[in-house]
Amino acid sequence: ASSIVQRLAEATRADGDTTLGVSTRGTIAMVRAARVWAAAHGRNYVLPDDVKELVMPVLAHRIVLDAEAEFAGATVANVVSRCLNGVAPPASETAA
């Protein structure tokens, strides 16, 4: 879970519409939330869908949009969506 969340955080920082992306503390909070979410659903592992489900409530308030981009109509939801689409889920460990 931590590698996909790390790549997602890096994508928010690199996005052209953001002034400030997700920090290290935000990344840690996301990993913890995903682990708790998985445990609440009876699993001891995190799925990429868990991260997708939690990304808006956990990370959206941690992203600061560039003023010009926001004036042009950019939203945090658009940035998060772009970043989610740009970050590939981890490959299956069972694939040989």
Side-chain angles (χ1 to χ4, degrees):
S2 60
S3 70
I4 190 171
V5 175
Q6 180 183 2
R7 291 190 315 241
L8 183 60
E10 289 171 0
T12 65
R13 291 191 294 265
D15 192 272
D17 288 344
T18 61
T19 298
L20 186 64
V22 176
S23 68
T24 303
R25 281 181 38 208
T27 303
I28 292 168
M30 183 67 199
V31 170
R32 286 180 180 163
R35 286 179 179 165
V36 169
W37 184 265
H41 287 88
R43 290 180 270 112
N44 62 355
Y45 54 90
V46 175
L47 298 173
D49 287 340
D50 297 335
V51 174
K52 288 179 185 178
E53 183 75 27
L54 295 171
V55 72
M56 284 303 290
V58 176
L59 298 182
H61 70 281
R62 298 174 184 272
I63 298 170
V64 177
L65 293 176
D66 178 69
E68 290 182 19
E70 192 170 10
F71 185 72
T75 64
V76 170
N78 290 343
V79 170
V80 169
S81 191
R82 253 194 324 267
C83 292
L84 276 173
N85 291 333
V87 172
S92 172
E93 304 235 351
T94 59

